[in-house]
Amino acid sequence: MIREIFMPALSSTMTEGKITSWLKSPGDKVEKGETVLIVESDKADMDVESFYEGWMAAIVTQAGDSAPVGSAIGLLAETEAEIATAKQQAATGAAPAAKPAAPAAAPIAANATVPAPVAGAASGRVFVSPRARKLAKEAGIDLKTLKGSGPNGRITADDVTGAGGASPAIAPNIAAAPAAVSRPPAAKPAAPVTPGQTVPFTPMQQAVVRNMNASLDVPVFRAGYSITTNSLDALYKQLKPKGVTMSVLLAKAVAVTLKQHPLLYASYAEAGTHYNSEINIAVAVAMDDGGLITPVLRQADTTDIYSLGRSWQDLVSRARSKQLQPDEYSTGTFTISNLGMFGVDSFDAILPPGTGSILAIGASKSTVVADKSGMFGVKTQMRVNITCDHRIIYGANGAAFLKDLAALIETNAQSLTM
């Protein structure tokens, strides 16, 4: 029996995938549950495993090429003797000669991502991120000797480098992304572009295009507020040596304020306003190769600031190497976009589909201001602008949130550590 290997849907927004690499070549033996290839979806690189045991017979879509979700990208033969027949079918574009009769044995050889932790623990198989697999191979590390710290016990690149499996030259980039650091990362050299050339979008850029087009259908309003940050800046200096970034502090301040404003992290539904059960702060992060992603700090209102700092470092590290799981970038109920690190004074952010609000944060700058008595002085201020879905959130709701956020940052910033 010859089975087709289909391009899997790795996220709800994915319409096509790009094959990063095939880990099996025609003629290789394939075990059930073994990783066959790595696919780049719109947000991450994911391992794709075989549902069946057999022989890798033919590759229809080569590494580096893209294919629509659900299309055949390879053929898996049940026996070694069928490899030649499968290669002929791949060359002629013919469908497999035999199809399983029962629906339970659908002709899908690979369309799963990371297996559930119980199944993996029971089988003793090792689940590894593509980056970690590459680093381990380069360093000659046996992956079975490592304990994974990633989701479901998955071995990450940090696990390999922590075991001495990579030199500084090939260690993964764990520097915080633009929304998480106080200074911009070094610019990545741009690929040479010929004048008049059209450069195809990456899967991530395609996802951004779809989301931006969808945002045009949502009526929004925008409101701005200037917040004095002297107290927050002083707190940041105390916490920075402990791994807490300014973006984490801002996310915590926003999350604590949102507890008083459940409408601000609600979302529109056809039947009415959907009030979310968690305050999950998504923070926009620019990717070096184009596009952006929004790693999510789950339950940021109840998680302590130091745990948030550790989580954020891990999220950004894995976002850079495209190793985030879907629930780590798609579960935000409120979004922050911080361009202040680039010196941007003020900007308006575009509302992500499926959410009610996004906060755009500008740079903190020394400003001459007058107090209530009319006396002038110099204070550090930042401009924040909120964009809200006007179908469920009104101007007064947004203004009340901004006023309370300013009060927390200006007069009670120290409470963020409690």
Side-chain angles (χ1 to χ4, degrees):
M1 181 183 298
I2 299 172
R3 294 187 172 96
E4 292 179 328
I5 302 175
F6 294 122
M7 174 61 72
L10 303 178
S11 72
S12 59
T13 60
M14 180 176 168
T15 58
E16 70 174 15
K18 179 180 179 181
I19 298 176
T20 301
S21 63
W22 284 93
L23 302 183
K24 292 292 183 179
S25 301
D28 289 349
K29 185 72 170 65
V30 176
E31 302 294 338
K32 182 178 179 180
E34 188 175 9
T35 300
V36 177
L37 71 157
I38 299 170
V39 170
E40 178 185 356
S41 70
D42 51 3
K43 298 291 184 182
D45 289 350
M46 304 292 284
D47 293 1
V48 179
E49 301 175 356
S50 175
F51 279 180
Y52 302 97
E53 180 181 351
W55 299 84
M56 189 66 200
I59 293 175
V60 176
T61 304
Q62 301 297 321
D65 294 337
S66 299
V69 168
S71 63
I73 56 177
L75 297 176
L76 186 74
E78 187 174 14
T79 65
E80 193 172 6
E82 294 174 315
I83 293 178
T85 303
K87 287 182 176 179
Q88 184 177 2
Q89 290 174 356
T92 60
K99 295 276 188 180
I108 301 176
N111 70 345
T113 55
V114 182
V118 175
S123 65
R125 286 162 23 213
V126 179
F127 304 130
V128 191
S129 73
R131 173 69 171 165
R133 191 187 304 278
K134 179 180 178 183
L135 292 176
K137 183 177 180 180
E138 292 173 345
I141 297 294
D142 183 357
L143 291 169
K144 293 183 179 180
T145 65
L146 302 181
K147 181 178 180 180
S149 62
N152 301 334
R154 196 183 203 208
I155 296 175
T156 67
D158 286 344
D159 297 326
V160 177
T161 56
S167 66
I170 61 173
N173 174 17
I174 61 173
V181 294
S182 57
R183 56 186 174 82
K188 189 175 182 178
V193 177
T194 303
Q197 175 187 4
T198 298
V199 180
F201 289 126
T202 65
M204 182 174 289
Q205 289 172 323
Q206 291 172 350
V208 172
V209 169
R210 290 193 297 270
N211 286 341
M212 295 305 97
N213 288 336
S215 70
L216 297 176
D217 295 331
V218 179
V220 300
F221 77 86
R222 300 176 176 87
Y225 208 102
S226 295
I227 301 177
T228 300
T229 62
N230 294 73
S231 296
L232 187 69
D233 294 337
L235 179 60
Y236 172 61
K237 290 181 180 179
Q238 297 174 21
L239 299 182
K240 182 179 179 181
K242 300 178 182 179
V244 177
T245 68
M246 178 58 78
S247 284
V248 170
L249 269 177
L250 291 168
K252 181 66 173 180
V254 166
V256 170
T257 307
L258 285 173
K259 293 174 69 174
Q260 308 167 49
H261 302 273
L263 187 60
L264 269 292
Y265 62 97
S267 57
Y268 171 84
E270 290 295 333
T273 302
H274 175 71
Y275 286 88
N276 291 294
S277 59
E278 294 182 350
I279 298 178
N280 300 333
I281 307 298
V283 185
V285 171
M287 301 294 284
D288 290 335
D289 57 352
L292 58 86
I293 195 169
T294 53
V296 176
L297 290 167
R298 299 287 298 269
Q299 300 179 345
D301 57 320
T302 58
T303 304
D304 70 87
I305 195 71
Y306 304 105
S307 296
L308 286 177
R310 291 189 294 270
S311 295
W312 183 242
Q313 184 182 30
D314 174 61
L315 286 167
V316 171
S317 172
R318 290 187 291 112
R320 288 292 192 182
S321 57
K322 298 183 179 180
Q323 296 304 311
L324 291 182
Q325 298 299 303
D327 65 339
E328 293 177 314
Y329 60 77
S330 62
T331 54
T333 55
F334 188 99
T335 305
I336 290 175
S337 180
N338 181 8
L339 290 182
M341 55 162 293
F342 292 103
V344 173
D345 294 319
S346 177
F347 71 103
D348 291 320
I350 298 175
L351 184 69
T355 63
S357 307
I358 181 171
L359 188 69
I361 300 175
S364 292
K365 293 189 175 182
S366 297
T367 308
V368 177
V369 296
D371 60 21
K372 294 181 179 180
S373 63
M375 299 297 293
F376 287 94
V378 177
K379 294 183 179 180
T380 303
Q381 291 191 328
M382 70 178 179
R383 180 76 174 180
V384 297
N385 295 325
I386 195 167
T387 301
C388 297
D389 186 338
H390 211 340
R391 295 173 297 182
I392 60 172
I393 303 170
Y394 306 129
N397 305 126
F401 165 77
L402 292 177
K403 182 179 179 181
D404 288 346
L405 177 63
L408 172 64
I409 290 176
E410 292 177 353
T411 65
N412 199 22
Q414 196 67 37
S415 66
L416 298 177
T417 62
M418 298 178 183

